[in-house]
Amino acid sequence: YFRKMALGSVREGLSLTRGYAPFPVFFEGWKSEPAEDSTEYMWDFGDGATMPGFCAAHVFEKPGRYTVTLKVTDGAGQSDRATTEIVVLEPDGKTYFVDAERGNDANDGLSEKSPWKTATHAFLGIAERRYGAGDRILFRRGQTFDLDAGKVAPGHGSYRHGYSFAAYGEGERPIIRHTPGTEGALIRFAGTDACHIGFVDLVFDGTASDGRRDTIFAAIGRATNILFYRCGF
């Protein structure tokens, strides 16, 4: 059983049970009856991972079709099962590259030979509706990227869905930090149609220029399936 999907996700052919890898799903066992006699909930995600609990969350890293099973046991030891299918798609859109040393934001970003330079330019692509379903935006490992805090604040109607920001190359996870002299939230989503956007293998440094701890991510309104996976803060 799943939370109600955001309306925007329908436009991209995505839902809370169908999305691009890595794909997060939040599960709830609230339809189990009688609820007051349900003593044990066990989720089998179909990829070798399991989790106990009334609610469960799981990230499907590899494309494929997965049958997820919920087993509910009552106080008398009787049990029953319910299943649903999760469809995880291979990212099949464009791949953009960001390199703080060799990049230039005037480049097209579509190859390692013509990368962008700043995190500001890369994340502004959200508000500019630059990305589509299946796209990936990759930051080179071992580098630090400047992001103009307060500038990346896409509002209602600014979002497309089904893309992710991640890392490429060798070394430590890329660091996303305040551009010196800026402060405020690094990324701020406003409006109700932000969904299916991922952040994977990145480190976010929320230290403002005066040394204060600042906001890294804020969502004003309803955001659905926003994934932070293997990220540092």
Side-chain angles (χ1 to χ4, degrees):
Y1 306 103
F2 309 92
R3 294 186 185 278
K4 184 178 179 181
M5 84 174 78
L7 294 177
S9 63
V10 178
R11 295 195 296 269
E12 304 290 353
L14 306 178
S15 72
L16 297 187
T17 60
R18 177 185 173 90
Y20 287 94
F23 183 49
V25 183
F26 181 78
F27 300 87
E28 297 177 306
W30 64 273
K31 283 191 176 181
S32 304
E33 296 179 347
E36 64 275 9
D37 195 37
S38 299
T39 60
E40 182 179 290
Y41 298 80
M42 179 60 71
W43 301 89
D44 184 331
F45 301 114
D47 61 357
T50 60
M51 180 180 289
F54 176 82
C55 298
H58 188 62
V59 177
F60 296 87
E61 292 199 56
K62 297 181 179 180
R65 291 179 177 269
Y66 300 91
T67 298
V68 178
T69 303
L70 169 62
K71 178 183 177 181
V72 181
T73 303
D74 64 16
Q78 301 292 317
S79 62
D80 200 359
R81 291 173 170 82
T83 63
T84 193
E85 185 179 64
I86 303 296
V87 179
V88 184
L89 307 173
E90 180 80 39
D92 55 2
K94 297 177 180 179
T95 300
Y96 299 90
F97 298 88
V98 193
D99 187 321
E101 296 176 359
R102 298 187 301 167
N104 187 317
D105 287 340
N107 291 339
D108 61 17
L110 290 172
S111 77
E112 293 186 46
K113 295 182 179 180
S114 59
W116 297 327
K117 182 178 181 65
T118 68
T120 302
H121 183 75
F123 287 120
L124 277 176
I126 300 173
E128 296 171 356
R129 299 175 63 85
R130 192 186 308 158
Y131 310 125
D135 286 356
R136 296 185 303 159
I137 304 91
L138 306 181
F139 295 83
R140 181 174 286 280
R141 287 180 176 271
Q143 295 185 351
T144 298
F145 297 86
D146 289 339
L147 175 56
D148 293 353
K151 193 169 184 178
V152 179
H156 183 73
S158 298
Y159 304 95
R160 289 180 177 173
H161 315 293
Y163 51 87
S164 61
F165 298 84
Y168 76 103
E170 303 292 333
E172 297 295 321
R173 290 174 295 180
I175 298 173
I176 311 298
R177 69 174 185 183
H178 285 81
T179 299
T182 67
E183 60 183 40
L186 286 177
I187 301 171
R188 180 182 182 274
F189 287 178
T192 61
D193 59 351
C195 58
H196 303 295
I197 301 173
F199 303 90
V200 183
D201 290 324
L202 302 173
V203 173
F204 293 88
D205 182 354
T207 307
S209 56
D210 60 1
R212 291 184 300 107
R213 294 178 180 178
D214 219 330
T215 302
I216 290 172
F217 175 82
I220 310 302
R222 184 183 65 199
T224 304
N225 274 37
I226 306 300
L227 172 67
F228 286 87
Y229 191 49
R230 295 194 302 264
C231 287
F233 301 91

